[in-house]
Structure formats: C-alpha cells, structure tokens
Amino acid sequence: IKGGNAQWHAGWAPSWLAGPRALDFVDGMYTAKLLHPRSGCRFSWEVLIGNAEKMDLKGTSLAVDFVWQDPFTPELNPGMWSKEWFTKLLDVSSPDTTLVTYSVARAVKNALDEAGWRHERFETPGRKRHWLKAKLKNST
C-alpha cells in the first residue's frame, strides 16, 4: 500500500503517487491527509485492512463522504454487493455521501434500492461505458 510502488500504481502520474507515498500506519489503518491533485481540495484517505464484510464499521470513527465501490464482481464477491453491505455503509456515511461503482448489474441496483440508496447510471469515457452513482435516499 505505502510507497506508490504497487503493481496497480503503474502509469500513475507523480501527483497521484503522492497519496500512497503519504500513507502512515496509525491505529490499525493507513491514513494520509492530502490535497486533491486536480481540485486542490483537502481530504483524508483512510485504508482499513481486513475483511470488510466482517468489520464493525459502527465501532469506527469513520465519517465517509465518498465510496469507491470496487470489489471483485458481484458473481465472485456477492457479499460486497449485497443489501447488507450497502446498509452497513449507511452507518458511516455522511448525509451527502456519494457512492460510485463500475457495476450496473440489476442485482446491484436492487441491493442499493433495498438498503436506502438512490442511484443513476452515467456514461464514462473508458472501456466500461456506464457506471452507477448512488446517494442516500434521504439526501439532496
């Protein structure tokens, strides 16, 4: 994770590599305070290591504004795409949290709906033509 030398960092611009290089291991998680390389906005990046499905997120101090939902596919990792998982995310989500994912599968949309998220499909410029963006149903 730390260092910016992981295989998945290949091809990243130096400004994006600043994130992994800034991570410090504190209280069981990797954390960094950073400036977004494009917007200049300050943000905190926290990486928890372990089985997310078994983590007690209520027992953390997390206050999540953005979720990048990127586990393996719903077929290979169904628990991370379930109503239970998306409900668990509600426990740490701020009222304006945005969740973004590459999966537009009907099962994922149904799980988001059942857990209290509203979603919309949007076009992307990459190989995957559409993604989902979700917000809490009671948010603006």
Short mmCIF file of all heavy atoms in Angstrom, two decimals, residues 98-130:
data_model
loop_
_atom_site.label_atom_id
_atom_site.label_comp_id
_atom_site.label_asym_id
_atom_site.label_seq_id
_atom_site.Cartn_x
_atom_site.Cartn_y
_atom_site.Cartn_z
N THR A 98 -21.49 10.13 -1.57
CA THR A 98 -21.65 9.64 -2.93
C THR A 98 -20.92 8.31 -3.04
O THR A 98 -19.79 8.19 -2.60
CB THR A 98 -21.06 10.62 -3.95
OG1 THR A 98 -21.75 11.87 -3.85
CG2 THR A 98 -21.18 10.09 -5.37
N LEU A 99 -21.60 7.32 -3.61
CA LEU A 99 -21.01 6.02 -3.88
C LEU A 99 -20.93 5.87 -5.40
O LEU A 99 -21.90 6.17 -6.09
CB LEU A 99 -21.88 4.91 -3.28
CG LEU A 99 -21.42 3.48 -3.47
CD1 LEU A 99 -21.80 2.65 -2.25
CD2 LEU A 99 -21.97 2.84 -4.72
N VAL A 100 -19.78 5.44 -5.90
CA VAL A 100 -19.59 5.24 -7.33
C VAL A 100 -19.09 3.82 -7.53
O VAL A 100 -18.22 3.35 -6.79
CB VAL A 100 -18.58 6.26 -7.90
CG1 VAL A 100 -18.31 5.98 -9.37
CG2 VAL A 100 -19.07 7.68 -7.72
N THR A 101 -19.63 3.15 -8.54
CA THR A 101 -19.20 1.80 -8.86
C THR A 101 -19.30 1.54 -10.36
O THR A 101 -20.11 2.16 -11.05
CB THR A 101 -20.00 0.74 -8.09
OG1 THR A 101 -19.45 -0.55 -8.38
CG2 THR A 101 -21.47 0.77 -8.44
N TYR A 102 -18.48 0.61 -10.82
CA TYR A 102 -18.48 0.24 -12.23
C TYR A 102 -19.62 -0.72 -12.56
O TYR A 102 -19.95 -0.91 -13.72
CB TYR A 102 -17.15 -0.41 -12.62
CG TYR A 102 -16.86 -1.67 -11.83
CD1 TYR A 102 -17.37 -2.89 -12.23
CD2 TYR A 102 -16.11 -1.60 -10.66
CE1 TYR A 102 -17.14 -4.04 -11.49
CE2 TYR A 102 -15.87 -2.74 -9.92
CZ TYR A 102 -16.38 -3.96 -10.33
OH TYR A 102 -16.16 -5.08 -9.59
N SER A 103 -20.21 -1.36 -11.55
CA SER A 103 -21.25 -2.36 -11.83
C SER A 103 -22.61 -1.69 -12.02
O SER A 103 -23.03 -0.89 -11.20
CB SER A 103 -21.35 -3.37 -10.69
OG SER A 103 -22.36 -4.32 -11.00
N VAL A 104 -23.25 -2.06 -13.10
CA VAL A 104 -24.62 -1.59 -13.36
C VAL A 104 -25.59 -2.77 -13.37
O VAL A 104 -26.69 -2.67 -13.89
CB VAL A 104 -24.72 -0.79 -14.68
CG1 VAL A 104 -23.92 0.49 -14.60
CG2 VAL A 104 -24.27 -1.63 -15.87
N ALA A 105 -25.16 -3.88 -12.76
CA ALA A 105 -25.98 -5.10 -12.74
C ALA A 105 -27.29 -4.86 -12.00
O ALA A 105 -27.33 -4.11 -11.01
CB ALA A 105 -25.20 -6.23 -12.07
N ARG A 106 -28.35 -5.48 -12.46
CA ARG A 106 -29.66 -5.34 -11.84
C ARG A 106 -29.60 -5.73 -10.36
O ARG A 106 -30.20 -5.07 -9.52
CB ARG A 106 -30.69 -6.21 -12.60
CG ARG A 106 -32.05 -6.34 -11.95
CD ARG A 106 -32.77 -5.06 -11.53
NE ARG A 106 -32.79 -4.01 -12.51
CZ ARG A 106 -32.99 -2.71 -12.18
NH1 ARG A 106 -33.19 -2.32 -10.94
NH2 ARG A 106 -33.01 -1.80 -13.13
N ALA A 107 -28.87 -6.78 -10.01
CA ALA A 107 -28.77 -7.20 -8.61
C ALA A 107 -28.14 -6.11 -7.74
O ALA A 107 -28.55 -5.92 -6.59
CB ALA A 107 -27.96 -8.50 -8.50
N VAL A 108 -27.17 -5.40 -8.28
CA VAL A 108 -26.53 -4.30 -7.54
C VAL A 108 -27.52 -3.15 -7.35
O VAL A 108 -27.65 -2.59 -6.26
CB VAL A 108 -25.24 -3.84 -8.25
CG1 VAL A 108 -24.67 -2.60 -7.58
CG2 VAL A 108 -24.22 -4.96 -8.27
N LYS A 109 -28.23 -2.80 -8.40
CA LYS A 109 -29.24 -1.74 -8.31
C LYS A 109 -30.30 -2.11 -7.28
O LYS A 109 -30.70 -1.26 -6.46
CB LYS A 109 -29.89 -1.50 -9.67
CG LYS A 109 -28.98 -0.92 -10.71
CD LYS A 109 -29.72 -0.83 -12.04
CE LYS A 109 -28.85 -0.40 -13.16
NZ LYS A 109 -29.57 -0.37 -14.44
N ASN A 110 -30.76 -3.35 -7.29
CA ASN A 110 -31.77 -3.79 -6.33
C ASN A 110 -31.25 -3.71 -4.90
O ASN A 110 -31.95 -3.26 -4.00
CB ASN A 110 -32.23 -5.22 -6.64
CG ASN A 110 -33.04 -5.31 -7.91
OD1 ASN A 110 -33.50 -4.30 -8.45
ND2 ASN A 110 -33.21 -6.53 -8.40
N ALA A 111 -30.01 -4.16 -4.69
CA ALA A 111 -29.42 -4.11 -3.35
C ALA A 111 -29.29 -2.67 -2.86
O ALA A 111 -29.57 -2.37 -1.70
CB ALA A 111 -28.07 -4.82 -3.35
N LEU A 112 -28.86 -1.76 -3.74
CA LEU A 112 -28.77 -0.34 -3.37
C LEU A 112 -30.15 0.20 -2.99
O LEU A 112 -30.31 0.87 -1.96
CB LEU A 112 -28.18 0.48 -4.52
CG LEU A 112 -26.68 0.36 -4.73
CD1 LEU A 112 -26.29 0.89 -6.11
CD2 LEU A 112 -25.92 1.09 -3.64
N ASP A 113 -31.16 -0.10 -3.81
CA ASP A 113 -32.52 0.35 -3.53
C ASP A 113 -32.99 -0.14 -2.16
O ASP A 113 -33.50 0.64 -1.34
CB ASP A 113 -33.51 -0.19 -4.58
CG ASP A 113 -33.40 0.52 -5.92
OD1 ASP A 113 -32.95 1.67 -5.96
OD2 ASP A 113 -33.79 -0.11 -6.93
N GLU A 114 -32.83 -1.42 -1.91
CA GLU A 114 -33.31 -2.03 -0.66
C GLU A 114 -32.58 -1.50 0.56
O GLU A 114 -33.14 -1.48 1.66
CB GLU A 114 -33.16 -3.55 -0.74
CG GLU A 114 -34.07 -4.19 -1.76
CD GLU A 114 -33.75 -5.66 -2.00
OE1 GLU A 114 -33.01 -6.26 -1.19
OE2 GLU A 114 -34.23 -6.20 -3.01
N ALA A 115 -31.34 -1.06 0.38
CA ALA A 115 -30.55 -0.56 1.50
C ALA A 115 -30.75 0.93 1.77
O ALA A 115 -30.22 1.45 2.75
CB ALA A 115 -29.06 -0.84 1.25
N GLY A 116 -31.48 1.62 0.91
CA GLY A 116 -31.73 3.03 1.16
C GLY A 116 -30.92 4.01 0.32
O GLY A 116 -30.76 5.17 0.70
N TRP A 117 -30.42 3.55 -0.80
CA TRP A 117 -29.67 4.40 -1.72
C TRP A 117 -30.49 4.62 -2.99
O TRP A 117 -31.20 3.74 -3.43
CB TRP A 117 -28.36 3.72 -2.13
CG TRP A 117 -27.40 3.46 -1.02
CD1 TRP A 117 -27.42 2.40 -0.16
CD2 TRP A 117 -26.27 4.24 -0.66
NE1 TRP A 117 -26.37 2.48 0.71
CE2 TRP A 117 -25.63 3.61 0.43
CE3 TRP A 117 -25.71 5.43 -1.17
CZ2 TRP A 117 -24.49 4.11 1.02
CZ3 TRP A 117 -24.57 5.92 -0.58
CH2 TRP A 117 -23.97 5.28 0.51
N ARG A 118 -30.39 5.79 -3.57
CA ARG A 118 -30.95 6.02 -4.91
C ARG A 118 -29.77 6.08 -5.86
O ARG A 118 -28.69 6.53 -5.49
CB ARG A 118 -31.82 7.27 -4.97
CG ARG A 118 -31.15 8.55 -4.60
CD ARG A 118 -32.15 9.73 -4.60
NE ARG A 118 -31.63 10.83 -3.84
CZ ARG A 118 -30.74 11.71 -4.27
NH1 ARG A 118 -30.28 11.63 -5.49
NH2 ARG A 118 -30.32 12.68 -3.49
N HIS A 119 -29.95 5.62 -7.07
CA HIS A 119 -28.81 5.52 -7.98
C HIS A 119 -29.20 5.99 -9.38
O HIS A 119 -30.38 6.06 -9.73
CB HIS A 119 -28.30 4.07 -8.04
CG HIS A 119 -29.38 3.09 -8.38
ND1 HIS A 119 -29.80 2.86 -9.66
CD2 HIS A 119 -30.15 2.31 -7.58
CE1 HIS A 119 -30.77 1.97 -9.64
NE2 HIS A 119 -31.01 1.62 -8.39
N GLU A 120 -28.18 6.33 -10.13
CA GLU A 120 -28.36 6.67 -11.54
C GLU A 120 -27.16 6.16 -12.32
O GLU A 120 -26.04 6.11 -11.81
CB GLU A 120 -28.51 8.18 -11.73
CG GLU A 120 -27.27 8.98 -11.35
CD GLU A 120 -27.47 10.47 -11.53
OE1 GLU A 120 -27.25 10.96 -12.65
OE2 GLU A 120 -27.84 11.13 -10.55
N ARG A 121 -27.42 5.74 -13.51
CA ARG A 121 -26.36 5.28 -14.41
C ARG A 121 -25.80 6.50 -15.12
O ARG A 121 -26.54 7.41 -15.48
CB ARG A 121 -26.96 4.29 -15.39
CG ARG A 121 -25.94 3.54 -16.19
CD ARG A 121 -26.61 2.47 -16.99
NE ARG A 121 -27.13 3.07 -18.21
CZ ARG A 121 -27.39 2.40 -19.31
NH1 ARG A 121 -27.23 1.11 -19.35
NH2 ARG A 121 -27.85 3.01 -20.38
N PHE A 122 -24.49 6.52 -15.32
CA PHE A 122 -23.90 7.62 -16.08
C PHE A 122 -22.85 7.07 -17.03
O PHE A 122 -22.29 6.00 -16.83
CB PHE A 122 -23.32 8.71 -15.15
CG PHE A 122 -22.14 8.27 -14.32
CD1 PHE A 122 -20.85 8.54 -14.74
CD2 PHE A 122 -22.33 7.62 -13.11
CE1 PHE A 122 -19.76 8.16 -13.98
CE2 PHE A 122 -21.24 7.24 -12.33
CZ PHE A 122 -19.96 7.51 -12.77
N GLU A 123 -22.63 7.82 -18.11
CA GLU A 123 -21.66 7.41 -19.13
C GLU A 123 -20.25 7.75 -18.69
O GLU A 123 -20.02 8.75 -18.02
CB GLU A 123 -21.96 8.12 -20.45
CG GLU A 123 -23.21 7.62 -21.12
CD GLU A 123 -23.40 8.18 -22.52
OE1 GLU A 123 -22.39 8.45 -23.21
OE2 GLU A 123 -24.57 8.36 -22.89
N THR A 124 -19.32 6.88 -19.09
CA THR A 124 -17.91 7.11 -18.79
C THR A 124 -17.11 7.03 -20.08
O THR A 124 -17.55 6.40 -21.05
CB THR A 124 -17.38 6.06 -17.80
OG1 THR A 124 -17.46 4.77 -18.40
CG2 THR A 124 -18.15 6.08 -16.50
N PRO A 125 -15.95 7.65 -20.12
CA PRO A 125 -15.17 7.66 -21.36
C PRO A 125 -14.33 6.40 -21.58
O PRO A 125 -13.79 6.22 -22.64
CB PRO A 125 -14.26 8.88 -21.19
CG PRO A 125 -14.09 8.99 -19.72
CD PRO A 125 -15.40 8.55 -19.12
N GLY A 126 -14.24 5.54 -20.58
CA GLY A 126 -13.35 4.38 -20.68
C GLY A 126 -13.98 3.19 -21.37
O GLY A 126 -15.01 3.28 -22.04
N ARG A 127 -13.33 2.04 -21.19
CA ARG A 127 -13.80 0.78 -21.77
C ARG A 127 -15.19 0.42 -21.29
O ARG A 127 -16.00 -0.08 -22.03
CB ARG A 127 -12.85 -0.34 -21.35
CG ARG A 127 -12.00 -0.87 -22.43
CD ARG A 127 -11.17 -2.06 -22.02
NE ARG A 127 -10.92 -2.15 -20.59
CZ ARG A 127 -10.53 -3.22 -19.96
NH1 ARG A 127 -10.36 -4.34 -20.64
NH2 ARG A 127 -10.31 -3.23 -18.69
N LYS A 128 -15.44 0.64 -20.00
CA LYS A 128 -16.75 0.37 -19.41
C LYS A 128 -17.60 1.60 -19.65
O LYS A 128 -17.35 2.66 -19.10
CB LYS A 128 -16.57 0.10 -17.90
CG LYS A 128 -17.82 -0.21 -17.17
CD LYS A 128 -18.07 -1.69 -17.15
CE LYS A 128 -19.18 -2.04 -16.21
NZ LYS A 128 -20.46 -2.15 -16.81
N ARG A 129 -18.60 1.50 -20.49
CA ARG A 129 -19.34 2.67 -20.96
C ARG A 129 -20.24 3.31 -19.91
O ARG A 129 -20.54 4.49 -20.00
CB ARG A 129 -20.16 2.33 -22.20
CG ARG A 129 -19.27 2.00 -23.37
CD ARG A 129 -20.01 1.77 -24.64
NE ARG A 129 -21.44 1.59 -24.44
CZ ARG A 129 -22.31 1.38 -25.40
NH1 ARG A 129 -21.90 1.31 -26.62
NH2 ARG A 129 -23.58 1.22 -25.15
N HIS A 130 -20.71 2.53 -18.95
CA HIS A 130 -21.62 3.07 -17.93
C HIS A 130 -21.20 2.61 -16.53
O HIS A 130 -20.73 1.50 -16.36
CB HIS A 130 -23.06 2.61 -18.18
CG HIS A 130 -23.61 3.13 -19.46
ND1 HIS A 130 -23.65 2.39 -20.61
CD2 HIS A 130 -24.14 4.34 -19.76
CE1 HIS A 130 -24.18 3.12 -21.58
NE2 HIS A 130 -24.47 4.31 -21.10
#
